[in-house]
């Protein structure tokens, strides 16, 4: 072995790597991203759950109880309600994760030791159920008027009950399978279109395609549509297996499920097209796809609780299509919500798709003119 020839090839690879800015960014960016995501953004101690209170008692004791619950940090008041039915509507629409019902005879129930408060929980997220159970451990301290100065008995237990809707058995597949639809579509759709234009360029077919009467927009849309059909096929397979193998319910409209899937498919395909116009090779396109896929998995709420992340990280997660799709698919499949009730997330996916498609077409023109 010649060390001179060996050192020459090593030096050549280092110089080539230095010129490959995308690979260099991945070498430095992935460790930094993982450190920040795992060390700063991901927090398994769930806090700040969006909550609403239906205080039908309106007494000093009921108001004090709500303040004590908020002081735990588990919940954060996001809305007010007059009846339990309004809380149920908010839960179905995904506006809140926890609803607190305080009945009109709260004080009498508290004194008698009966169930005095109900905590309604969105069970489509099993982590939320676990966090809400902390509220059930809170004691209901008797009011000074009702308590005797010499009474040394502790407050009665079991006066706060937790009622979990949509997944009371806390079965993990019910929570995971709908999210897997989004994860699979994100991974495959971005990857497929990420290499689409690069592959045509490497094979020398791009010049031939551009010589045809096709416009650039028609060419890019034509590259996208076949993969959209593949995405719908993948959605059907996951849905069928989820229902058959894991008994995952579909409480909402199946049409709404497919519309939500189409929205995510188009968002990911346009993102992949933008990556394809930037990458110089299929290998670079795969690297950039991974750079998008990792934050989507970790920050969207699929693996780790969204509410436990710092506020700045939550704002970053709102840019990711998977974040909005998870809200849509869990709302439709598990809570039986209609798609129009979840319109903010629908609008977010539509806007994302429009922006990514516009940027991809503009960059495609710039690269090929």
């Amino acid at each position: 072995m010649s060390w001179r020839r060996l050192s020459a090839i090593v030096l050549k690879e280092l110089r080539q790597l230095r010129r490959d800015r995308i690979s260099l960014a991945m070498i430095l960016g992935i460790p930094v991203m993982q450190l920040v995501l795992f060390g700063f953004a991901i927090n398994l101690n769930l806090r700040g759950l969006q909550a609403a209170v239906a205080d039908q008692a309106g007494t000093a004791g009921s108001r004090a109880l709500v303040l004590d619950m908020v002081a735990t940090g588990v919940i954060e008041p996001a809305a007010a309600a007059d009846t339990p039915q309004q809380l149920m509507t908010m839960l179905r629409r995904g506006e809140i994760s926890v609803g607190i019902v305080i009945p009109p005879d709260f004080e009498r129930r508290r004194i008698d030791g009966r169930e005095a408060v109900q905590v309604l929980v969105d069970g489509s997220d099993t982590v939320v159920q676990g966090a809400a159970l902390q509220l059930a451990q809170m004691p209901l301290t008797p009011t000074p008027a009702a308590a005797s100065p010499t009474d040394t008995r502790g407050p009665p237990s079991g006066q706060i009950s937790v009622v979990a809707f949509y997944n009371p058995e806390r079965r993990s597949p019910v929570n995971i399978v709908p999210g897997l639809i989004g994860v699979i579509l994100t991974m495959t759709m971005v990857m497929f279109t990420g290499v689409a234009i690069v592959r045509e360029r490497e094979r020398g077919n791009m010049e031939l395609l551009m010589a045809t009467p096709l416009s650039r927009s028609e060419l890019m849309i034509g590259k996208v549509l076949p993969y959209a059909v593949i995405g719908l096929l993948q959605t059907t397979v996951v849905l069928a297996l989820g229902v058959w193998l894991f008994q995952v319910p579909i409480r909402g409209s199946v049409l709404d499920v497919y519309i939500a899937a189409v929205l995510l498919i188009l968002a990911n395909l346009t993102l992949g097209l933008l990556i394809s116009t930037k990458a110089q090779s299929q290998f670079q396109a795969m690297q950039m796809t991974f750079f998008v896929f990792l934050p989507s998995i970790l920050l969207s709420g699929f693996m780790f609780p969204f509410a436990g992340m710092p506020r700045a990280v939550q704002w970053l997660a709102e840019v990711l299509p998977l974040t909005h799709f998870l809200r849509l698919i869990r709302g439709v499949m598990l809570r039986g919500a209609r798609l129009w009730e979840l319109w903010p997330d629908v609008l977010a996916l539509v806007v994302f798709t429009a922006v990514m498609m516009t940027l991809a077409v503009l960059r495609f023109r710039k690269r090929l003119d």
Side-chain angles (χ1 to χ4, degrees):
M1 178 180 293
S2 172
W3 291 105
R4 181 178 179 182
R5 293 193 297 268
L6 180 62
S7 60
I9 193 63
V10 169
L11 183 61
K12 175 259 183 188
E13 289 297 325
L14 291 175
R15 288 176 176 175
Q16 183 174 345
L17 181 62
R18 185 181 61 184
R19 291 194 295 267
D20 188 353
R21 296 182 180 180
I22 295 180
S23 297
L24 189 61
M26 294 289 293
I27 292 173
L28 301 177
I30 289 179
V32 172
M33 179 186 297
Q34 290 183 334
L35 177 64
V36 172
L37 292 181
F38 282 102
F40 176 71
I42 296 173
N43 181 13
L44 298 179
N45 297 319
L46 198 57
R47 290 293 184 269
L49 294 175
Q50 298 293 294
V53 181
D55 186 359
Q56 297 176 312
T59 64
S62 64
R63 289 190 290 269
L65 173 64
V66 173
L67 291 176
D68 290 342
M69 288 183 170
V70 174
T72 64
V74 175
I75 63 172
E76 178 180 321
D82 298 323
T83 64
Q85 290 73 22
Q86 292 180 355
L87 293 178
M88 288 295 301
T89 300
M90 293 179 184
L91 284 173
R92 188 182 71 252
R93 294 179 177 177
E95 298 173 1
I96 59 173
S97 298
V98 177
I100 300 171
V101 181
I102 303 177
D105 56 344
F106 167 75
E107 296 295 347
R108 175 55 57 189
R109 288 172 173 268
R110 179 164 64 164
I111 294 172
D112 294 344
R114 294 179 291 159
E115 178 185 299
V117 179
Q118 277 192 338
V119 179
L120 312 181
V121 182
D122 176 10
S124 61
D125 191 337
T126 54
V127 181
V128 172
Q129 292 190 51
L133 289 175
Q134 301 179 37
L135 302 177
Q137 308 303 319
M138 297 183 60
L140 299 184
T141 306
T143 59
S148 170
T150 60
D151 190 359
T152 58
R153 295 175 301 172
S157 60
Q159 290 191 277
I160 302 178
S161 64
V162 176
V163 182
F165 293 91
Y166 314 123
N167 185 18
E169 304 91 354
R170 300 186 67 180
R171 294 195 300 120
S172 297
V174 174
N175 177 252
I176 293 176
V177 170
L180 277 176
I181 298 175
V183 171
I184 293 171
L185 291 178
T186 298
M187 178 176 62
T188 56
M189 295 296 101
V190 176
M191 180 176 62
F192 286 163
T193 52
V195 301
I197 295 179
V198 180
R199 182 174 59 245
E200 298 289 356
R201 188 182 299 115
E202 289 182 345
R203 293 177 178 177
N205 296 334
M206 186 58 66
E207 290 76 8
L208 297 176
L209 290 173
M210 295 305 299
T212 65
L214 287 171
S215 66
R216 293 176 174 86
S217 299
E218 290 171 342
L219 175 59
M220 298 192 75
I221 294 175
K223 300 288 290 184
V224 162
L225 289 181
Y227 298 115
V229 176
I230 294 174
L232 290 175
L233 178 61
Q234 291 178 326
T235 302
T236 302
V237 171
V238 177
L239 279 177
L241 292 178
V243 174
W244 179 46
L245 294 178
F246 303 105
Q247 292 76 50
V248 177
I250 304 179
R251 296 190 174 95
S253 169
V254 176
L255 178 61
D256 285 346
V257 172
Y258 276 95
I259 293 175
V262 168
L263 292 174
L264 179 66
I265 289 170
L266 294 178
N268 286 327
L269 289 178
T270 53
L271 176 60
L273 280 178
L274 182 62
I275 291 175
S276 189
T277 60
K278 174 66 176 177
Q280 300 293 328
S281 64
Q282 295 187 55
F283 178 68
Q284 282 189 355
M286 296 291 291
Q287 288 179 309
M288 297 171 69
T289 298
F290 180 79
F291 205 73
V292 172
F293 183 64
L294 182 62
S296 296
I297 293 295
L298 298 180
L299 301 184
S300 62
F302 173 72
M303 292 184 60
F304 303 100
F306 187 83
M309 299 177 188
R311 189 69 64 183
V313 178
Q314 292 183 9
W315 292 340
L316 174 62
E318 293 292 342
V319 181
L320 303 173
L322 185 57
T323 301
H324 302 282
F325 176 77
L326 289 179
R327 296 171 184 165
L328 293 177
I329 197 67
R330 288 172 178 169
V332 174
M333 286 187 62
L334 305 183
R335 300 195 301 269
R338 297 306 304 269
L339 212 57
W340 62 265
E341 295 180 304
L342 309 172
W343 66 267
D345 295 298
V346 173
L347 179 62
L349 289 176
V350 171
V351 171
F352 182 91
T353 301
V355 171
M356 291 297 105
M357 190 65 182
T358 301
L359 293 177
V361 171
L362 291 177
R363 180 159 184 86
F364 192 65
R365 290 176 180 273
K366 180 180 179 181
R367 291 289 300 274
L368 296 178
D369 278 346

